[in-house]
Amino acid sequence: MEDIQFMQLAIALAKKGKGHVNPNPLVGAVLVKDGTIIGKGYHEQYGQLHAERNALKDCKVSPEGAVLYVTLEPCNHHGKTPPCTEAIIENGIAKVVIGTLDPNPQMAGKSVKILQEHGIEVVVGMLEEECKDLIRVFRKYITTGRPYVLMKYAMTMDGKIATYTGASKWITGEKARACVQETRNEFSGIMVGVNTVLKDDPSLTCRMENGRNPIRIICDTHLRTPLHAQVVQTAKEVPTWIATAVTDTTKKAQYENLGCRILEVPQKDGHIDLQVLMRLLGEENVDGILLEGGGTLNWSALRAEIVDAVQTYIAPKIFGGTAQSPVEGAGVALPDEGIRLENTRCISCGEDYRIESDVVYTCLQES
Ligand SMILES: NC(=O)c1ccc[n+]([C@@H]2O[C@H](COP(=O)([O-])OP(=O)(O)OC[C@H]3O[C@@H](n4cnc5c(N)ncnc54)[C@H](OP(=O)(O)O)[C@@H]3O)[C@@H](O)[C@H]2O)c1
């Protein structure tokens, strides 16, 4: 196997931690001695051993003189576990190949220096883009204290998210829908506007085998969420947080008694202030949010500049008619004023396609 293949394996291992390590990063590690893999590991669970220590634990032979391939710069601080740099030095690792540096400004590059000072050869940047992609949620959270927001929707080739009767089950095929469940498993939170609850009564759970349910966050300025809604009725089993501007304790208690948590958020332009909400959610360790709309909330979220990336499932179908589009709101007057997206990735998902892009805000102007 080549250098790159060892790092590819470390990346694949890192992905096994999805849904279990938030708000920590996904990290994978492979130890190689004389061209043979002697240990593999990944960060499996928040608060537990880091990838490097799991790879060392996995070794059946001495790791002395081995090369460590690790997707993220090893940590150098005493957190829930001791520093990985110590383990690397104590075990006599000869060389460390790192995918990407730690984006935490207080950390970046410090471990590299420490390892080098102990005579360990260090290479940084192998498969860097792939390794950076692994930690996109962590990067946003650790540098801003706010959650990474992925706006996701499914639409037809003519841009409809339902038929003219409002029917929307299903737009995409089974494979795409299974991918959505995997994404729900990865994110700490899932967020919708109150109209989506009123119209669809969704459960917003993760229906993947051994999947983890994200915290359900409802943007509901005036507490219009019905008490009989699924998200309320199941709030004792799956967390439901309602972001509202209502301060009336009796009204709030009706939801709290059913297990919901109320987040009091000030209003901006007649709705809850999404920037403030992101700050509050960050303080609650919510590192990433899957925004599942609908169109009104999607537009507000883009306008408030809280969305980091947009994920669109496109089904090879055409509905026509007057149905809603995935982003509503005031819109922009001219094509040049559109919200710009970059770094577009496209994959096929069964009979559908998934397109994902990062959001660039510099050109946003309202009409
Ligand atoms: N195909 C898909 O992928 C998909 C995904 C989701 C939804 N949908 C569809 O979308 C439809 C609902 O969309 P919708 O546009 O009518 O409503 P929505 O976006 O689900 O909810 C909008 C409501 O959220 C509340 N809200 C609270 N804070 C807000 C803020 N800062 N900005 C904007 N709204 C805020 C507002 O009411 P208050 O201010 O009174 O609270 C607003 O009227 C449903 O029919 C559903 O089926 C489709």
Side-chain angles (χ1 to χ4, degrees):
M1 273 172 95
E2 306 269 324
D3 259 7
I4 290 217
Q5 289 168 305
F6 294 130
M7 189 58 91
Q8 279 168 338
L9 177 58
I11 292 171
L13 287 164
K15 289 179 181 170
K16 289 184 167 193
K18 281 181 180 180
H20 302 290
V21 300
N22 314 69
N24 276 350
L26 295 169
V27 188
V30 174
L31 275 162
V32 178
K33 197 169 173 180
D34 302 325
T36 305
I37 295 173
I38 58 163
K40 292 184 286 191
Y42 64 98
H43 186 33
E44 296 176 19
Q45 195 74 44
Y46 177 73
Q48 294 184 8
L49 288 185
H50 289 182
E52 301 88 323
R53 286 186 180 268
N54 275 329
L56 285 163
K57 210 172 82 176
D58 187 46
C59 286
K60 306 282 180 291
V61 297
S62 163
E64 203 177 333
V67 181
L68 170 70
Y69 295 82
V70 60
T71 57
L72 179 67
E73 179 184 359
C75 75
N76 179 43
H77 60 278
H78 286 269
K80 291 198 181 300
T81 55
C84 289
T85 44
E86 270 179 16
I88 293 167
I89 295 161
E90 281 164 11
N91 281 280
I93 304 300
K95 180 176 172 183
V96 178
V97 182
I98 296 170
T100 185
L101 292 180
D102 189 331
N104 183 345
Q106 283 158 0
M107 291 294 301
K110 275 195 183 157
S111 297
V112 172
K113 205 159 162 271
I114 288 167
L115 294 172
Q116 285 169 335
E117 281 166 5
H118 284 81
I120 298 170
E121 185 187 346
V122 182
V123 175
V124 179
M126 180 172 286
L127 295 181
E128 188 161 23
E129 286 314 307
E130 289 90 331
C131 292
K132 274 187 172 170
D133 192 49
L134 272 179
I135 56 156
R136 61 185 180 157
V137 169
F138 175 72
R139 174 188 312 283
K140 167 84 183 279
Y141 187 61
I142 200 74
T143 54
T144 66
R146 315 251 165 139
Y148 178 94
V149 177
L150 176 66
M151 176 192 287
K152 171 259 149 193
Y153 51 80
M155 65 179 200
T156 59
M157 277 181 72
D158 58 335
K160 306 291 187 195
I161 59 167
T163 67
Y164 75 89
T165 63
S168 60
K169 287 193 171 74
W170 299 103
I171 292 171
T172 50
E174 259 176 49
K175 179 115 191 261
R177 300 206 305 273
C179 285
V180 173
Q181 297 304 320
E182 282 174 26
T183 311
R184 284 185 177 183
N185 173 55
E186 282 171 44
F187 279 78
S188 307
I190 184 167
M191 187 164 93
V192 297
V194 65
N195 286 355
T196 295
V197 176
L198 287 165
K199 288 183 187 168
D200 298 352
D201 191 18
S203 67
L204 303 175
T205 51
C206 173
R207 295 179 289 279
M208 177 185 128
E209 208 181 328
N210 299 321
R212 175 199 56 165
N213 288 316
I215 297 164
R216 302 174 296 190
I217 301 148
I218 319 299
C219 294
D220 181 4
T221 319
H222 309 289
L223 273 186
R224 294 188 290 134
T225 299
L227 290 171
H228 58 76
Q230 285 201 67
V231 287
V232 177
Q233 287 296 319
T234 58
K236 286 188 177 151
E237 294 92 61
V238 181
T240 299
W241 295 2
I242 303 180
T244 184
V246 170
T247 51
D248 179 335
T249 46
T250 316
K251 199 165 180 198
K252 289 192 301 182
Q254 291 181 300
Y255 294 89
E256 286 164 340
N257 291 340
L258 289 165
C260 297
R261 180 166 175 201
I262 300 289
L263 297 177
E264 262 186 50
V265 181
Q267 288 193 45
K268 189 174 180 197
D269 302 328
H271 301 299
I272 60 151
D273 186 328
L274 294 174
Q275 283 281 358
V276 174
L277 176 59
M278 291 305 114
R279 182 171 52 74
L280 292 176
L281 292 172
E283 286 166 7
E284 294 291 334
N285 278 345
V286 177
D287 60 344
I289 292 173
L290 185 62
L291 172 60
E292 291 209 12
T296 307
L297 184 63
N298 282 350
W299 171 255
S300 286
L302 286 163
R303 203 177 53 171
E305 304 194 354
I306 65 163
V307 182
D308 294 285
V310 178
Q311 187 183 74
T312 311
Y313 285 90
I314 302 185
K317 289 178 188 167
I318 290 187
F319 286 169
T322 52
Q324 257 198 326
S325 77
V327 183
E328 299 277 331
V332 298
L334 297 168
D336 275 355
E337 296 170 354
I339 293 161
R340 298 286 301 279
L341 306 173
E342 65 176 14
N343 188 22
T344 299
R345 293 84 72 188
C346 181
I347 61 160
S348 67
C349 236
E351 65 260 44
D352 307 304
Y353 279 89
R354 185 175 84 193
I355 302 180
E356 198 169 311
S357 306
D358 301 326
V359 183
V360 187
Y361 283 108
T362 45
C363 294
L364 175 60
Q365 293 169 28
E366 272 187 88
S367 59

